[in-house]
Amino acid sequence: MKKLVCMALVLVMALTMSSAAFAAGKLSVTDESMTVCESYSGYTAYVYAVLENTGDKPVEFNAGLLELLDAEGDSIDAEDYLYCYPGIIEPGQKAYLSQSINVDDAESADYIDDYTLDVSGKSAKENTNVMLDCTAEYGMKPYSYTSSNEYPTVTMTVTNSTEETVREIYVSYALFDKDGKIIYADSYSPSYVGIPAGASIEISRTVDSTLFEKWTADGVEPASVEVIAYSRQGY
């Protein structure tokens, strides 16, 4: 009888520990890419990634490490000052990360052969972000109403569907190729802007011209765009 009671207690403890272990956020890299472009000094590696919370609790981006490698697998350079937006990610939600590293002594793009990207998250006690409705499109547009020159542009319309004015607005957006692979990401926060309840604003952001020239040379064309819009409350 004592043996049965003991086994039952062990089973209950195991189930409890399993349940507790599952009840946590988990930050995972679900898509990533690197593009190497010639720069004013050497070559620059642009790395973009889609991060996703594959757990069942909110998770906060904690740290990351991007390391560039040569053809022998040896380290060229590394950067641990990384950010993703949004910084707090709900279960099933995505965030986008972008980082570039310039290698002054690189004589060709092939010198930067590969890279590694590691990210970590920590439990988020509270998520003060308020998600906002947003649509986006990508295309060639003039830089301003007085300019006739067109540039690759992401145009986003952010709508406040809440009942109060929201401020500290952020957009995090990404471009994907025809195969659905990320090729670009960036984030932006318009300064001193508030959106009244029920109102909308339009945000236009040009894409890095160096990358656009590289895409054109390689026959790469953005096929879709995704955007995450939110207001950081309490700041």
Side-chain angles (χ1 to χ4, degrees):
M1 182 65 178
K2 289 183 179 180
K3 186 176 181 180
L4 290 174
V5 172
C6 185
M7 290 179 62
L9 286 172
V10 170
L11 179 60
V12 170
M13 289 176 65
L15 290 173
T16 302
M17 291 175 65
S18 175
S19 176
F22 183 72
K26 182 180 180 181
L27 195 59
S28 303
V29 177
T30 57
D31 188 19
E32 57 186 300
S33 71
M34 178 178 71
T35 302
V36 180
C37 301
E38 187 172 5
S39 65
Y40 61 90
S41 175
Y43 285 78
T44 300
Y46 298 87
V47 174
Y48 304 103
V50 179
L51 309 186
E52 187 171 351
N53 181 357
T54 55
D56 63 348
K57 293 288 184 181
V59 65
E60 182 176 359
F61 181 82
N62 183 50
L65 176 65
L66 170 63
E67 185 173 21
L68 302 183
L69 307 173
D70 63 17
E72 303 299 322
D74 295 326
S75 178
I76 298 173
D77 201 352
E79 177 62 71
D80 61 1
Y81 200 65
L82 308 180
Y83 288 97
C84 81
Y85 294 91
I88 300 177
I89 311 166
E90 292 289 337
Q93 188 183 56
K94 297 177 182 178
Y96 304 120
L97 179 148
S98 62
Q99 183 64 49
S100 63
I101 298 179
N102 188 73
V103 182
D104 291 329
D105 57 353
E107 297 182 354
S108 69
D110 294 339
Y111 177 66
I112 308 173
D113 183 70
D114 203 357
Y115 71 97
T116 60
L117 175 63
D118 297 301
V119 299
S120 66
K122 63 181 181 180
S123 177
K125 295 181 179 179
E126 182 181 10
N127 186 359
T128 58
N129 292 339
V130 174
M131 306 309 296
L132 302 173
D133 295 333
C134 189
T135 59
E137 60 181 18
Y138 168 82
M140 302 297 291
K141 290 181 60 176
Y143 182 75
S144 67
Y145 294 109
T146 59
S147 173
S148 59
N149 296 326
E150 292 188 331
Y151 301 89
T153 305
V154 176
T155 304
M156 296 157 280
T157 302
V158 183
T159 301
N160 178 12
S161 299
T162 72
E163 297 180 356
E164 298 180 355
T165 298
V166 294
R167 295 178 173 82
E168 289 290 332
I169 301 153
Y170 284 77
V171 287
S172 180
Y173 53 97
L175 294 174
F176 300 83
D177 65 15
K178 60 182 178 60
D179 297 319
K181 191 168 188 62
I182 189 170
I183 57 173
Y184 182 77
D186 202 356
S187 61
Y188 178 69
S189 176
S191 301
Y192 308 108
V193 172
I195 309 178
S200 301
I201 62 170
E202 183 178 280
I203 300 173
S204 292
R205 300 293 294 168
T206 56
V207 175
D208 189 298
S209 59
T210 301
L211 282 165
F212 181 72
E213 291 172 2
K214 176 66 172 175
W215 295 340
T216 302
D218 293 347
V220 174
E221 185 174 347
S224 62
V225 56
E226 293 182 3
V227 60
I228 302 166
Y230 58 100
S231 169
R232 294 203 310 174
Q233 302 292 298
Y235 289 85

